[in-house]
Amino acid sequence: MNEVTIKKVDQGTDLAKELIQFVENFSWDEVKSHMTEELRAWVFADWETPFAAIADGRIVGMAFLRKSDYYPLPEIFPWVTGIFVSEAYRGRRISEQLIAFVNEYAKEKGFHRTYIPSCHAGLYEKYGYRYVRDIVNYGLETDRLYVKEI
């Protein structure tokens, strides 16, 4: 297995441009255009930021640390969201590395827990998250809310 490096992505950098191209071409069609717009407009404020997983000289995965997500829950933050790994790189624990890196960054910023929303059961528990409750997103779909003490 090739080594994976996780990096914080800063505005206006070559890595930010590469991340935009990565998102424009990834298979998560439901969020592709929205995420591309957010990256182009650089909507991240304060401690919010994207992260990239790099292997074989290119981005193969990503995640965000955000104040809010696709849920009317302003009291819950920070969110670890937008977690995606290219199909060819799945099964190599890259999501786990991304989440751990994001959580370390959140801890450095003074947070004691992070939240992940998901429609999947049994996925994030293996990374130390626990199910809190069902939540309804702005599209009126029900997802699961997970939390981890960091």
Side-chain angles (χ1 to χ4, degrees):
M1 178 167 67
N2 298 335
E3 185 176 325
V4 174
T5 304
I6 311 296
K7 292 185 178 180
K8 178 182 174 289
V9 180
D10 294 315
Q11 183 178 14
T13 62
D14 287 342
L15 189 57
K17 292 174 192 166
E18 289 175 42
L19 184 59
I20 290 168
Q21 289 177 334
F22 175 75
V23 172
E24 287 174 333
N25 294 298
F26 71 17
S27 63
W28 193 2
D29 291 330
E30 298 84 3
V31 300
K32 184 187 301 194
S33 64
H34 178 72
M35 281 187 174
T36 301
E37 289 172 21
E38 287 193 327
L39 287 164
R40 286 189 188 285
W42 204 262
V43 297
F44 310 99
D46 303 323
W47 45 263
E48 292 181 295
T49 191
F51 297 87
I54 302 160
D56 301 321
R58 67 177 192 260
I59 296 174
V60 299
M62 61 172 286
F64 296 125
L65 185 66
R66 302 292 306 266
K67 289 180 185 177
S68 64
D69 200 358
Y70 190 54
Y71 306 88
L73 300 165
E75 71 281 5
I76 295 176
F77 63 92
W79 297 87
V80 179
T81 188
I83 303 164
F84 180 83
V85 174
S86 296
E87 287 79 359
Y89 287 83
R90 292 184 183 167
R92 302 182 191 190
R93 305 186 76 97
I94 294 172
S95 291
E96 180 177 18
Q97 293 174 59
L98 273 163
I99 292 166
F101 194 94
V102 173
N103 278 330
E104 194 56 41
Y105 175 84
K107 195 173 184 178
E108 289 170 11
K109 295 299 177 186
F111 295 104
H112 303 289
R113 70 187 58 82
T114 59
Y115 298 89
I116 293 180
S118 180
C119 61
H120 302 287
L123 179 60
Y124 296 106
E125 291 90 339
K126 62 186 172 187
Y127 305 137
Y129 281 82
R130 69 175 170 77
Y131 170 77
V132 177
R133 62 184 165 98
D134 286 353
I135 54 176
V136 178
N137 65 35
Y138 286 117
L140 302 180
E141 298 165 330
T142 300
D143 291 317
R144 299 170 62 85
L145 177 64
Y146 294 92
V147 66
K148 179 178 181 174
E149 302 299 321
I150 54 174

